[in-house]
Amino acid sequence: MSAISSKPGPGNLLRTQGAQKLLAFAGLIALVAGFSLASPNFMQTPNIIAILQAASVNGVLAVAATLIIITGGIDLSVGTGMTFCAVIAGVVLTYLGMPMPVGIAAAILAGTCSGLLSGTFVAKLKVPPFIATLGMMLILKGLSLVISGTRPIYFNDTPGFTDIATGSIVGMIVPAVPLPNGVVILFAVAGIASYILGRTILGRYAFALGSNEEALRLSGVNADRWKIAIYALGGSIVGVAGILIGSRLNSAQPALGLGYELDAIAAVVIGGTSLRGGQGTILGTVIGALIMAVLANGLRILSVAQEWQTVVTGSIIILAVYADMLRRQRAAAAG
Amino acid sequence: MSAAMETVQAAPLISMKGIDKSFPGVHALKSVNFEVRSGEVHALMGENGAGKSTLMKVLSGIYAADAGTIEHDGRPVEIASPRQAQEMGIGIIHQELSLMRDLNAAQNIFIGREPRTAGGLLIDEKKLNAEAAALFEQIHLKLDPRTPVSQLTIAKQQMIEIAKALSHKSRVLIMDEPTAALNDAEINELFRIIRKLKAEGVGIIYISHKMDELKRIADRVTVMRDGEYVGTVPAADTPVEKIISMMVGREISDEPPAIPDLADAETVLEVRNLNRGREVQDVSFSVKKGEILGFAGLMGAGRTEVARVIFGADPLASGEIFVHGRKITIKQPQDAVRAGIGYLSEDRKHFGLATGMDVATNVVMASLERFAGAGGVLKDPEIRAIARRYIDQLSIKTPSERQEARLLSGGNQQKVVVAKWLLRDCDVLIFDEPTRGIDVGAKSEIYRLLSQLAAQGRAIIVISSELPEILRLSHRIAVMCEGRLTGFLPGGAPQEEIMRLATQRNENRAPAGELSEDAKMGEKA
Ligand SMILES: Nc1ncnc2c1ncn2[C@@H]1O[C@H](COP(=O)(O)OP(=O)(O)OP(=O)(O)O)[C@@H](O)[C@H]1O
Ligand SMILES: [Mg+2]
């Protein structure tokens, strides 16, 4: 029997909700420690920056995916949705020559609209989320290719666009910490999403949808509307990811995107969010994204072949979910 | 009791001694003793959260006790898992029904022990259904074994749980509030089964909040309070008042309502010619401000269905609904809530609670918008304060408002749902079995609250399968049978009169008198 805490509710809450984050966090620390011992190149500032930079796009997508997954749904369209948003930004900035803020707004709007659409399919037409977003995934991929004429759109005419992700405002203020903007954006998006989930009515309903949608409906809540709102919010975050990837590559690459959704879902799962819905945290997801980036980077530094990196990542996902299962069982046994 | 009997019963089937169990923040069992003998019905009584279900979960291998011993036939045993309990012949019918909704009745009963065919490769569906049908026969349940559980009322699900427990041929059978969802006929049926099992030497542990059942079925009664063992008394020669005071530690007075004069009161809700399939046929009635209208009838009479169509949970085929004299269209629950109608469902697990969320969130679930400031930001301290107020007011037993709802005892979960609708502050409140699984003390508290809500000017509809509850609460009684309203009676009408209307079948329908409720369920399925 594990120790029984005599503390009432709140302590208990921290214990159960904090545990997975702790678990994932401990995993992250262990990975970092392991790689630093294995290679002196790992803990170098440029490498750390590279890791964070690499985590930023997947991290932002994973935040979007977390919102949907908490409602008991899934979003397979985040990857190609991201590309679609980048292409829209490319069209607005490069083809139409509009100023940068307009391009950014257009990308986020495009993401929001695609989220609205997925949400409507799911909530109103009752298409299962897996199918609805699978369809959206293909639709958005196709549209990206059609709109761009299958050619990359470069942002050369928009000075400063690459700085959105790769510049460093923090570095300008504190030269010792050249933290790329992309990472700052990830933390900002994560912070906002976390606040929305934890503190607002939308967030509360997201959890309620995943926990017992019918009970929410019978409480007189317009469950469909809130569900659509969550998908739209997720879509707008995908728009942010679109800007980030466009900025990093200085181009919208219409063929890119497929496969990103699986990385995002992997980060969510490693971060302890249940695919059954009703529970999950953004912090866990961010840690999950970091774990994946550290893993990829560390294995590369150790010259592990790309093929094997994929095998390791897959194993880590299973391990993470297994560890989570164990924790839950122990929690259940302890009451 | 003769000396011979004493020796026969010397070694109880099961004897639990000094059982202790804590959950985080809750000391649920404090050195509890309990035993059950072969061939006896031993009732376990206590208020919501007293620890009855927890004690039974320890006995059935779901929880491990922190301390204490369990003896089986006089030998100390460890019961480490539900499987082990099953092997020892300990069966349990849980308070929270645990059937798989997407499987059918027969599949549920034989889950994990399906008869096989083709050398063990395939499930022998024919045999499966035949065996299930035989079990149903035993308990006089007329139901097609292939009916999916999701299509069954709670009462039918309960009967299936009973069939499942019987199929295990247990020597000790635990029934945790088996009658909470059953009507009188079904309860009689259950009691008949219990007596039969008793005669076969099965020891039965019986948990219920219905005091009248004690005298009818129990041999001995053990009372628990706040996780402690209070005492064991013979059921036959202990007055009910004594048992109640053992349970709650005080006396409870319950007087029927003074029926207010509502001649000039405004009509708040009026429905005309509601129709939906067989369950709701031409139902018209109205409720006035300050009135409590009780809906009596047998299980399956269509009362819940009437409530659900008014609330927009199920679509209406035809009919009109007026609130404050204005005709309104209700397509979904949110339309009803906007019009000021609240509905407390009879099935709290599926329709009432988000069990994975905390008590506070569940309490504010129907009124969350009220607690959102600019940008939808929730005022968490206010939410928690209001939740604490209801926790106090309804004496909800929970370590804090942050506790997950699923960790509360059954009766306390029910109180959380009641709190949700009290907070929403509707003009019309429909309570479908509001005191299901609620203990005597809390029951009278909820009755008091309902009367108070009515006195404050709300129109209240109470659907209940317990006649005493209908009589205790209602200013006026509507009786339904087979989807039709068969009549209205003044509050305090004699029970026989209500029963007569509740069984008044439609003459036009051919041999309706022969068709039992169950048969119709099966037909529909
Ligand atoms: N898994 C759990 N974790 C935390 N607390 C629990 C858990 N299970 C039960 N409790 C608490 O233990 C106490 C006893 O609960 P139990 O379910 O045994 O009550 P009960 O006597 O069956 O009540 P009811 O009549 O309402 O069903 C309650 O305060 C309940 O909240
Ligand atoms: Mg119980």
Side-chain angles (χ1 to χ4, degrees):
Chain A
M1 281 274 90
S2 63
I4 308 278
S5 125
S6 57
K7 251 187 290 160
N12 174 30
L13 196 81
L14 277 180
R15 246 187 30 168
T16 50
Q17 296 219 332
Q20 173 62 22
K21 264 180 277 170
L22 229 94
L23 212 68
F25 193 64
L28 179 61
I29 299 292
L31 276 180
V32 169
F35 284 129
S36 344
L37 284 180
S39 163
N41 297 332
F42 184 79
M43 266 314 233
Q44 302 298 321
T45 311
N47 192 48
I48 302 284
I49 302 269
I51 292 173
L52 290 173
Q53 182 75 284
S56 62
V57 169
N58 184 32
V60 171
L61 285 181
V63 168
T66 308
L67 296 177
I68 312 294
I69 288 173
I70 282 174
T71 66
I74 190 117
D75 193 346
L76 297 179
S77 70
V78 294
T80 60
M82 168 187 80
T83 302
F84 176 73
C85 295
V87 167
I88 294 293
V91 168
V92 170
L93 295 177
T94 304
Y95 291 176
L96 305 179
M98 305 275 235
M100 194 159 80
V102 180
I104 294 174
I108 293 178
L109 188 69
T112 311
C113 290
S114 88
L116 269 176
L117 213 56
S118 306
T120 309
F121 293 154
V122 172
K124 291 288 182 206
L125 308 187
K126 312 287 174 209
V127 181
F130 190 94
I131 308 297
T133 60
L134 181 72
M136 281 303 284
M137 170 175 106
L138 295 173
I139 290 173
L140 293 171
K141 181 182 165 65
L143 285 181
S144 300
L145 291 167
V146 170
I147 293 173
S148 65
T150 72
R151 282 182 308 275
I153 307 174
Y154 291 91
F155 292 105
N156 293 334
D157 303 342
T158 314
F161 192 77
T162 51
D163 288 343
I164 295 176
T166 53
S168 176
I169 293 179
V170 178
M172 272 158 58
I173 303 165
V174 194
V177 195
L179 202 61
N181 293 340
V183 178
V184 176
I185 291 175
L186 166 63
F187 290 149
V189 165
I192 294 170
S194 191
Y195 184 80
I196 291 176
L197 273 182
R199 291 268 179 270
T200 69
I201 195 162
L202 179 62
R204 198 60 57 93
Y205 283 153
F207 282 106
L209 279 167
S211 181
N212 189 344
E213 181 170 340
E214 199 52 27
L216 184 67
R217 211 176 287 282
L218 291 184
S219 296
V221 174
N222 192 336
D224 292 349
R225 202 182 66 201
W226 290 102
K227 196 188 264 181
I228 294 172
I230 283 283
Y231 276 84
L233 178 65
S236 68
I237 294 174
V238 169
V240 173
I243 301 288
L244 279 182
I245 191 90
S247 167
R248 265 183 67 192
L249 305 175
N250 191 29
S251 61
Q253 300 283 347
L256 198 81
L258 223 50
Y260 276 69
E261 67 285 336
L262 296 182
D263 281 351
I265 293 168
V268 175
V269 169
I270 292 174
T273 292
S274 157
L275 282 182
R276 260 168 314 162
Q279 44 184 290
T281 61
I282 296 293
L283 182 55
T285 294
V286 171
I287 292 173
L290 287 175
I291 287 181
M292 290 183 63
V294 164
L295 207 61
N297 177 286
L299 293 174
R300 197 161 51 236
I301 284 187
L302 297 183
S303 311
V304 174
Q306 175 87 47
E307 304 84 85
W308 282 107
Q309 289 182 25
T310 316
V311 173
V312 172
T313 310
S315 315
I316 292 284
I317 294 173
I318 293 172
L319 199 72
V321 175
Y322 175 64
D324 189 32
M325 285 294 301
L326 280 186
R327 177 190 64 83
R328 269 177 230 269
Q329 273 165 15
R330 225 172 307 131
Chain B
M1 216 176 282
S2 73
M5 286 282 280
E6 289 282 65
T7 43
V8 172
Q9 294 175 346
L13 261 176
I14 292 288
S15 159
M16 306 175 80
K17 291 204 183 84
I19 303 291
D20 225 271
K21 174 76 189 167
S22 289
F23 298 109
V26 185
H27 195 165
L29 298 175
K30 301 168 194 160
S31 192
V32 176
N33 302 328
F34 185 76
E35 60 162 49
V36 62
R37 297 173 189 150
S38 168
E40 84 163 335
V41 176
H42 195 150
L44 185 55
M45 308 286 290
E47 285 184 291
N48 296 131
K52 307 177 294 291
S53 298
T54 305
L55 186 67
M56 291 305 112
K57 284 180 185 168
V58 168
L59 180 55
S60 53
I62 294 166
Y63 293 149
D66 300 343
T69 55
I70 302 178
E71 285 177 14
H72 181 239
D73 282 335
R75 282 186 313 277
V77 288
E78 283 277 340
I79 305 178
S81 68
R83 165 135 228 145
Q84 220 174 327
Q86 240 172 48
E87 279 159 8
M88 270 177 218
I90 301 171
I92 181 164
I93 301 173
H94 285 291
Q95 179 174 13
E96 303 297 340
L97 302 179
S98 44
L99 299 174
M100 279 153 274
R101 292 171 69 78
D102 297 321
L103 299 188
N104 72 29
Q107 288 164 343
N108 260 291
I109 291 173
F110 292 104
I111 190 91
R113 321 170 273 151
E114 296 84 355
R116 301 297 178 85
T117 171
L121 284 177
L122 298 176
I123 293 174
D124 188 347
E125 293 284 347
K126 229 185 229 145
K127 186 149 176 242
L128 183 80
N129 291 328
E131 284 183 16
L135 280 169
F136 292 168
E137 185 94 0
Q138 253 187 62
I139 59 172
H140 298 191
L141 174 64
K142 295 190 191 71
L143 180 74
D144 186 337
R146 287 164 306 191
T147 315
V149 164
S150 58
Q151 289 182 12
L152 299 178
T153 59
I154 301 200
K156 295 292 181 309
Q157 293 184 32
Q158 185 71 63
M159 295 305 278
I160 290 178
E161 288 272 14
I162 291 166
K164 185 173 170 184
L166 286 182
S167 73
H168 280 285
K169 307 211 174 358
S170 312
R171 289 187 60 208
V172 177
L173 187 53
I174 305 164
M175 301 187 173
D176 197 347
E177 300 194 32
T179 57
L182 302 188
N183 69 26
D184 286 343
E186 288 159 332
I187 291 174
N188 288 339
E189 191 50 44
L190 176 68
F191 284 1
R192 190 186 62 80
I193 299 164
I194 290 180
R195 289 194 189 100
K196 198 170 127 219
L197 290 172
K198 203 175 127 161
E200 289 164 8
V202 176
I204 290 164
I205 303 171
Y206 189 86
I207 300 178
S208 172
H209 288 293
K210 300 183 183 171
M211 306 304 298
D212 58 312
E213 292 176 356
L214 284 186
K215 298 279 172 202
R216 292 178 55 194
I217 199 74
D219 299 308
R220 287 192 297 167
V221 183
T222 287
V223 176
M224 291 178 66
R225 184 166 72 228
D226 285 333
E228 281 177 79
Y229 172 80
V230 178
T232 303
V233 293
D237 16 311
T238 314
V240 170
E241 294 73 31
K242 166 89 189 305
I243 294 172
I244 292 180
S245 73
M246 281 171 81
M247 283 168 59
V248 299
R250 65 192 149 87
E251 304 285 330
I252 288 198
S253 70
D254 239 7
E255 68 283 358
I259 295 176
D261 178 15
L262 296 166
D264 304 326
E266 180 206 355
T267 296
V268 183
L269 172 77
E270 180 174 3
V271 304
R272 288 189 203 148
N273 308 325
L274 298 185
N275 276 295
R276 174 178 161 79
R278 276 179 154 211
E279 291 134 310
V280 183
Q281 301 176 38
D282 254 333
V283 169
S284 307
F285 67 89
S286 63
V287 209
K288 288 180 167 179
K289 202 173 154 143
E291 182 177 39
I292 301 181
L293 175 64
F295 264 77
L298 302 178
M299 199 74 57
R303 296 163 303 162
T304 293
E305 214 30 59
V306 167
R308 286 179 62 92
V309 295
I310 294 176
F311 190 63
D314 286 328
L316 198 57
S318 68
E320 295 172 310
I321 301 173
F322 301 83
V323 174
H324 291 299
R326 263 195 28 242
K327 185 175 171 190
I328 55 166
T329 317
I330 294 177
K331 289 222 171 77
Q332 311 165 61
Q334 81 229 30
D335 301 333
V337 172
R338 209 173 306 125
I341 304 173
Y343 171 60
L344 181 134
S345 161
E346 63 174 337
D347 185 349
R348 71 169 167 267
K349 200 164 150 202
H350 291 109
F351 303 136
L353 274 182
T355 47
M357 304 190 78
D358 64 10
V359 171
T361 302
N362 275 291
V363 169
V364 298
M365 185 83 90
S367 342
L368 199 53
E369 263 134 89
R370 209 199 298 170
F371 296 92
V377 178
L378 293 174
K379 299 171 187 147
D380 206 42
E382 274 180 41
I383 291 179
R384 295 177 46 197
I386 202 86
R388 276 197 299 269
R389 208 182 84 204
Y390 281 102
I391 287 171
D392 276 354
Q393 197 179 352
L394 301 181
S395 332
I396 300 174
K397 244 188 117 158
T398 172
S400 90
E401 71 281 3
R402 291 278 187 99
Q403 185 81 330
E404 273 179 51
R406 74 187 162 85
L407 298 179
L408 265 55
S409 79
N412 284 298
Q413 291 183 7
Q414 181 73 5
K415 292 190 205 170
V416 172
V417 187
V418 172
K420 170 169 88 177
W421 287 112
L422 292 182
L423 173 61
R424 173 69 209 205
D425 206 12
C426 300
D427 290 347
V428 184
L429 279 166
I430 308 175
F431 287 89
D432 197 348
E433 308 287 355
T435 65
R436 167 167 297 160
I438 287 189
D439 68 56
V440 272
K443 225 176 206 171
S444 79
E445 181 61 22
I446 286 182
Y447 292 164
R448 205 183 52 71
L449 263 162
L450 289 184
S451 303
Q452 195 183 322
L453 285 169
Q456 285 166 5
R458 292 189 185 76
I460 292 182
I461 296 173
V462 175
I463 299 171
S464 175
S465 298
E466 287 175 56
L467 270 187
E469 177 159 300
I470 291 280
L471 292 168
R472 162 70 184 77
L473 274 171
S474 314
H475 302 153
R476 196 158 58 100
I477 301 168
V479 189
M480 286 190 70
C481 178
E482 295 185 344
R484 290 169 191 280
L485 263 171
T486 45
F488 292 92
L489 295 167
Q495 297 209 11
E496 301 73 49
E497 190 66 6
I498 298 176
M499 281 320 290
R500 192 182 61 74
L501 288 174
T503 50
Q504 186 175 76
R505 320 241 154 184
N506 188 355
E507 310 298 271
N508 307 341
R509 221 176 301 151
E514 300 303 311
L515 260 183
S516 82
E517 301 297 316
D518 304 21
K520 286 206 321 248
M521 265 314 291
E523 239 171 70
K524 200 185 68 175

